[in-house]
Amino acid sequence: CTAAPAKPIELTYSIFFPATHKNTLLAQEWAKEIEKRTDGRVKITVFPGGTLTKAEVCYDGVEKGISDIGMSVLGYTRGKFPLTEALDLPLGIRTGAAATALANAYYRKFAPKEFGGVAIMYLHAHGPGFLHTKKPVRTLEDVKGLKIRCTGLSAKIAAALGGTPVAMPMGETYDALSRGVVDGSMAPQESLEGWRWGEVVTSSTQCYGAAYTTTFFVAMNRDRWLSLPKDVQGIIEKVNEEWVRKTGEAWDAMDRSGRDFAAARGNGLVALSPEENARWAAAVQPILDEYAAKMQAKGLPGAEVLAFCRECLKTQK
Amino acid sequence: MSSPLIGILGLAVLLLMFPLGIELAFAMAIVGFVGFSLLVSFPAGMSMVAKSFFDTFTSYGFTVIPLFVLMGQIAFNAGIARRLYVAAYRFLGHIPGGLAMATVAGATVFKAICGSSPATAATFASVAVPEMDRYRYDRRLSAGIVATVGTLGILMPPSVTLIVFGVITQKSIGRLFLAGLVPALIIAASFIAVIAIWCARNPALGPKGERSTWKQRAASLPECLYVGAVFLLVIGGLMKGFFTPTEAGSVGTAAVLVLSLARGGLGLKGFVRSVSESLRTACMVLMLIAGSTVLGTFLARTTIPMIAADWVTSLPLPPWAIMALICLIYLIGGSFVDDLAFMVLATPIFFPAVESMGFDPYWFGAVIGVTVMIGVVIPPVAINVFVVRSITKESLGTIYRGVLPFTIALLVMGVLLFVFPQIATYLPDLLMPGR
Amino acid sequence: MSRVFSTARSAAKALHAIAGASLVFVMLLTIMDVVLRGFGKPIPGTYELVGYAGGIAIGLAMPMTSWRRAHVYVDAFVLRLPAAARLVLHVATRLLGAGLFAVLAWNLVLLGLDLRRSGEVSPTLELEFYPVVFGLAAAAVLQAIVLLCQAAAAQRGENE
Ligand code: NA
Ligand code: NA
């Protein structure tokens, strides 16, 4: 006679991306893969669309056990991850894959204490955040006085470039662009299609010099993670490693698709010359300096992190 | 016990709690809290409740709601609603049912600057019912129409319901406002038609009033221009890109405030009363949203919504029939739970399915608007009817009987929206082309 | 007893007044922002300030809203019951509500302490959140007291 199969370990996974979003589908594949490789000993139910916890409460929700696993944006809880904020600075990233690889390399090297309440599965980050505008922006001077929709850190970038930052909900940005409440918006190219901004802007400026990213976390409740059998932990860690690459590439595929969407509508794409890019990079340098100074005041190795990021991005080119 | 079973049990407990006189928002939060704690853990449940309340109360999209309510409150306390009603009955008072028709006309214009449906119902219950009593109108007609005209607030911009819908679905609130406008005007016209037909069949319902002179009529008109100016400022400013739909609440409120102060008739007392009243209404609305967020988190965790959405979309039916079924669920759900609360609960569940079936989200907003309009006046939980009863002291039965003919007009509108989606989509496509 | 009543009432009124001021502030701030934006100088952080002040407006309005029983509830069934049953239900539902808000208040305090410890701030102005959370906690405490007052009043036959 065969032993009755043990009751599977059931985990909940909260994601704010809608059910049909590429990131949700990838997370679902992640869950399936773990189920498969553990022979069904682990069962993960994904709750998309923020039905279990909204984007801003996701991290705390994981810490408190509202969901066992969660994916959201580090920047939504400003100040909670001071050292890791470096990843969202305008470091001049080139691709989503590079930004994602950097984020995970940083996490391995510095093992920041600020993630104490959770077990990080992996981090990922979108492709270069560019400036999308109603009128073409070719030089730093063109940014002067533009009303630019942005939030949090990207507000600092917009201001550093000479624009006027305006914050508003994502859902209102399309209208605001179309009506001229704002003249442009900072985001990865993916948003041109995902939020259909391609229809209401005419030009995107590939300002690599000042390109920033937004870092996402995938985290599990710490106690829950520690309660998993060692071999299951091993399997999950293996899958996580594979998903770092997959997710980074997926972000770049979304960016390509967004760029094609805008191009098909006749939108322009401004590529800055190396000299101009250097000017943009110089314009945002004070933000990086400010970060380093702030970390020093807190006794955190901010300058070291920045140097590491720079080095890492250089070798990836 | 399986999670979905605990969810169903929780819903059953909720339905049993409602008639006991507990605040609906409290009941939803309690069931959500206890249910979630049983499913996950008490610390997780407690943390979830605190986060849901804090998150709802401080959300930008929701915190503009009191401003839209305030706009209407100032207009009411400055006597604008009353003067609008007077203007309408100068023109319509002499025909059978004319005072009821004037209520529809006055409320439609007033609604253009008032964000809340129960507030509109309350306003006209106190303004129009005494007037109709004076001319010996049947209470079925007078109380029925004031309860029903309030529902125009759900589709007529600026609508709190559509704002909440837009926040949940991340859709443009400006486009939603435009999608609601034409259906709202058609519904207002059909209410007038219903009154005409009903009074023709039973003249005792709404006896004729006095005929006003053209001089009196002309004298009443500036009031409409005055509201029209505020409306144009708000809509014009939106179209020109001076401000966003959520900012329009502040701009409109300030415009009404300045005009009211300039003309006199508001005063500091009136202003303080307006602020206090709108806080109360907004607190009531946000409490419902917070309560249904707690309940919604619990329900999501039971996976009932996923099961329900999968089931609905996998039915061997054409999309329009599935859509009709979804509307029916909103109608039945909204009849038991509060309608706004139910919309907050159900929309995240069904909206992805609606979009994946290829329906226009703005059209869906208008359809849900009409569904909610019916929901707020049919038993057992009918907020507008309760509001009107508390002001007129009329029996619930009489008001429900008075509301019935108008709900038929609403049903017809719902069917029309299915057959001619352009009723909702034409205006936004024309004025805000793109999505 | 009546001391408790009048104190709770004054406290609720005071919070309501702060809430009102907060709402007017939101209106003025938004308008200033819209106007100044026209001149290319919007007020930074308006978006998060509106959420912040709006939270204060709504949260602090809770006790007064409950005092007036302005939250939606169904009384059609209750009104048909004999007075004794009505009293029992009234007291029971008040106590349930008070329990809910006691739990809420306690966990808002915990949340506030959490936010203070983690150093979480708003995205642009980097404002701390915990004062708002503690404000909401105070309102929730008062809300629970208001509900208890209603229960006590009903028991003494004062019908709210
Ligand atoms: Na209802
Ligand atoms: Na109903």
Side-chain angles (χ1 to χ4, degrees):
Chain A
C1 88
T2 53
K7 211 167 162 276
I9 302 164
E10 293 195 20
L11 299 172
T12 55
Y13 187 173
S14 166
I15 293 181
F16 72 88
F17 286 108
T20 48
H21 195 281
K22 187 83 204 273
N23 272 320
T24 307
L25 302 179
L26 257 177
Q28 256 150 356
E29 278 175 43
W30 177 84
K32 281 270 158 331
E33 194 63 28
I34 290 170
E35 256 180 75
K36 202 175 90 192
R37 292 197 204 172
T38 56
D39 296 318
R41 278 188 296 153
V42 175
K43 193 175 168 307
I44 301 171
T45 314
V46 178
F47 294 83
T51 45
L52 202 48
T53 47
K54 295 202 176 60
E56 301 78 24
V57 270
C58 185
Y59 185 88
D60 276 4
V62 172
E63 242 179 352
K64 295 284 186 305
I66 298 175
S67 73
D68 298 315
I69 310 168
M71 176 199 289
S72 186
V73 176
L74 288 176
Y76 283 168
T77 42
R78 186 90 202 273
K80 211 174 161 80
F81 313 106
L83 191 64
T84 313
E85 260 174 36
L87 299 176
D88 289 357
L89 295 177
L91 295 165
I93 60 140
R94 310 287 301 183
T95 63
T100 300
L102 168 65
N104 289 284
Y106 153 83
Y107 182 75
R108 272 194 307 275
K109 175 158 168 67
F110 291 92
K113 287 203 181 63
E114 51 210 44
F115 293 106
V118 303
I120 291 288
M121 300 289 99
Y122 59 98
L123 302 174
H124 62 95
H126 66 57
F130 290 154
L131 183 56
H132 313 282
T133 47
K134 293 179 74 73
K135 276 187 220 143
V137 167
R138 297 198 173 81
T139 63
L140 207 48
E141 284 68 31
D142 292 342
V143 187
K144 188 122 194 75
L146 287 188
K147 285 171 283 184
I148 299 168
R149 187 269 173 194
C150 39
T151 51
L153 260 179
S154 68
K156 283 193 182 172
I157 302 173
L161 294 174
T164 305
V166 179
M168 61 177 63
M170 205 63 173
E172 227 168 64
T173 307
Y174 181 97
D175 277 354
L177 280 167
S178 107
R179 298 283 135 207
V181 177
V182 290
D183 307 307
S185 187
M186 296 198 73
Q189 298 173 89
E190 169 256 345
S191 308
L192 293 172
E193 186 181 17
W195 291 95
R196 310 186 77 78
W197 295 350
E199 298 170 354
V200 285
V201 300
T202 63
S203 171
S204 297
T205 304
Q206 295 183 307
C207 44
Y208 281 111
Y212 71 98
T213 187
T214 303
T215 310
F216 296 73
F217 64 85
V218 178
M220 194 186 293
N221 177 281
R222 199 169 167 73
D223 294 340
R224 201 71 177 148
W225 171 254
L226 294 174
S227 76
L228 296 178
K230 274 277 166 295
D231 65 317
V232 168
Q233 286 183 354
I235 291 170
I236 294 178
E237 277 166 350
K238 185 85 203 7
V239 177
N240 289 345
E241 254 171 62
E242 292 168 29
W243 251 253
V244 168
R245 189 181 47 76
K246 276 197 183 197
T247 314
E249 283 169 5
W251 276 117
D252 287 330
M254 281 186 263
D255 270 357
R256 278 194 297 278
S257 173
R259 198 171 56 217
D260 294 346
F261 175 85
R265 302 188 49 90
N267 286 10
L269 193 62
V270 178
L272 300 180
S273 66
E275 298 75 48
E276 188 63 23
N277 261 319
R279 290 182 68 211
W280 289 55
V284 295
Q285 180 61 37
I287 302 175
L288 296 147
D289 298 341
E290 187 195 330
Y291 162 83
K294 217 161 99 186
M295 289 311 111
Q296 197 175 17
K298 289 191 184 214
L300 290 169
E304 221 177 298
V305 169
L306 284 183
F308 174 81
C309 291
R310 282 264 153 79
E311 198 51 40
C312 203
L313 288 173
K314 220 181 279 169
T315 54
Q316 276 165 349
K317 250 180 234 175
Chain B
M1 199 161 26
S2 76
S3 301
L5 197 63
I6 293 179
I8 290 169
L9 217 67
L11 284 176
V13 170
L14 190 65
L15 281 183
L16 287 176
M17 276 171 90
F18 278 161
L20 302 184
I22 190 165
E23 284 78 350
L24 303 187
F26 301 179
M28 288 193 285
I30 291 169
V31 169
F33 162 58
V34 174
F36 193 87
S37 300
L38 289 177
L39 271 178
V40 185
S41 75
F42 265 91
M46 300 216 270
S47 169
M48 186 270 283
V49 172
K51 284 199 180 305
S52 299
F53 272 80
F54 176 66
D55 206 45
T56 304
F57 283 7
T58 56
S59 135
Y60 176 86
F62 290 144
T63 49
V64 298
I65 287 175
L67 290 163
F68 283 99
V69 183
L70 181 58
M71 192 173 8
Q73 277 296 336
I74 292 177
F76 170 64
N77 282 318
I80 294 177
R82 208 196 134 68
R83 292 198 289 265
L84 277 175
Y85 178 64
V86 169
Y89 86 52
R90 287 270 178 256
F91 286 85
L92 297 166
H94 62 285
I95 56 177
L99 291 176
M101 294 175 186
T103 308
V104 177
T108 308
V109 180
F110 180 68
K111 239 325 286 158
I113 53 169
C114 173
S116 139
S117 165
T120 311
T123 303
F124 279 83
S126 36
V127 168
V129 171
E131 209 63 30
M132 289 191 264
D133 281 350
R134 210 151 64 82
Y135 288 93
R136 298 179 197 291
Y137 270 49
D138 191 304
R139 272 291 179 94
R140 269 178 299 165
L141 178 59
S142 59
I145 191 61
V146 287
T148 322
V149 283
T151 64
L152 282 171
I154 289 158
L155 273 183
M156 193 78 186
S159 144
V160 169
T161 311
L162 290 182
I163 293 175
V164 173
F165 181 86
V167 173
I168 295 171
T169 59
Q170 294 261 21
K171 290 295 162 200
S172 150
I173 290 163
R175 274 181 73 92
L176 277 168
F177 281 179
L178 288 176
L181 185 58
V182 173
L185 291 176
I186 296 179
I187 289 171
S190 69
F191 285 169
I192 291 183
V194 167
I195 297 169
I197 296 167
W198 204 10
C199 288
R201 293 180 49 172
N202 182 0
L205 278 173
K208 288 182 197 174
E210 300 151 27
R211 179 187 288 272
S212 306
T213 65
W214 279 103
K215 205 173 154 194
Q216 285 172 314
R217 286 175 185 176
S220 70
L221 276 180
E223 204 51 48
C224 305
L225 298 178
Y226 171 67
V227 174
V230 174
F231 188 66
L232 276 184
L233 171 77
V234 172
I235 297 295
L238 279 174
M239 303 314 290
K240 280 274 169 207
F242 292 139
F243 42 81
T244 66
T246 37
E247 289 165 346
S250 283
V251 176
T253 307
V256 173
L257 183 61
V258 167
L259 282 171
S260 302
L261 289 176
R263 293 201 33 166
L266 180 66
L268 184 65
K269 253 196 182 150
F271 177 66
V272 169
R273 192 165 55 229
S274 305
V275 171
S276 175
E277 285 288 331
S278 52
L279 273 178
R280 214 174 294 159
T281 307
C283 186
M284 181 263 279
V285 171
L286 276 264
M287 189 64 91
L288 278 173
I289 295 177
S292 50
T293 306
V294 174
L295 181 66
T297 308
F298 161 58
L299 287 182
R301 182 60 184 70
T302 65
T303 67
I304 286 180
M306 292 186 200
I307 297 169
D310 277 353
W311 176 74
V312 166
T313 47
S314 68
L315 289 175
L317 291 171
W320 68 264
I322 293 177
M323 191 68 198
L325 192 67
I326 291 176
C327 291
L328 192 67
I329 294 173
Y330 268 83
L331 192 59
I332 295 173
S335 290
F336 284 95
V337 186
D338 171 68
D339 302 78
L340 188 63
F342 188 78
M343 194 193 78
V344 179
L345 266 181
T347 305
I349 301 168
F350 291 111
F351 189 70
V354 169
E355 270 199 315
S356 72
M357 286 190 291
F359 287 103
D360 183 297
Y362 299 95
W363 172 82
F364 182 60
V367 167
I368 291 307
V370 174
T371 312
V372 171
M373 286 171 82
I374 301 174
V376 282
V377 289
I378 63 170
V381 178
I383 306 223
N384 279 20
V385 173
F386 299 163
V387 165
V388 169
R389 192 198 53 167
S390 75
I391 293 172
T392 62
K393 313 285 177 233
E394 189 50 76
S395 81
L396 279 179
T398 305
I399 308 177
Y400 280 134
R401 272 199 299 280
V403 157
L404 189 66
F406 300 106
T407 51
I408 295 167
L410 286 171
L411 269 177
V412 171
M413 184 68 225
V415 173
L416 280 178
L417 269 175
F418 268 84
V419 184
F420 306 106
Q422 299 87 339
I423 298 173
T425 58
Y426 178 75
L427 204 55
D429 284 347
L430 179 76
L431 295 177
M432 295 176 111
R435 280 186 298 188
Chain C
M1 196 66 209
S2 64
R3 272 279 292 280
V4 178
F5 265 61
S6 60
T7 312
R9 203 186 149 74
S10 317
K13 267 192 168 163
L15 290 193
H16 208 70
I18 302 174
S22 201
L23 181 62
V24 175
F25 170 74
V26 169
M27 179 177 80
L28 296 177
L29 178 70
T30 314
I31 290 182
M32 292 287 285
D33 184 48
V34 166
V35 172
L36 290 174
R37 190 164 64 212
F39 297 102
K41 290 196 171 34
I43 303 168
T46 299
Y47 178 73
E48 55 201 52
L49 275 177
V50 166
Y52 205 98
I56 294 172
I58 297 296
L60 300 196
M62 280 195 305
M64 205 57 199
T65 308
S66 260
W67 195 289
R68 307 249 187 210
R69 285 220 76 177
H71 291 295
V72 181
Y73 64 100
V74 184
D75 61 356
F77 171 75
V78 177
L79 288 176
R80 290 173 196 194
L81 295 176
R86 223 152 60 193
L87 176 68
V88 170
L89 280 181
H90 184 75
V91 171
T93 54
R94 296 313 82 198
L95 291 180
L96 264 178
L100 170 71
F101 282 93
V103 167
L104 179 65
W106 170 238
N107 285 283
L108 282 170
V109 170
L110 293 184
L111 177 64
L113 291 174
D114 249 16
L115 286 172
R116 211 169 99 165
R117 191 178 36 75
S118 75
E120 192 177 326
V121 291
S122 69
T124 306
L125 296 178
E126 305 190 21
L127 294 172
E128 299 252 31
F129 286 113
Y130 70 87
V132 177
V133 182
F134 286 148
L136 290 186
V141 170
L142 189 55
Q143 163 96 342
I145 294 173
V146 165
L147 289 165
L148 289 177
C149 283
Q150 284 175 347
Q155 233 176 353
R156 294 190 307 165
E158 285 173 15
N159 208 11
E160 286 164 53

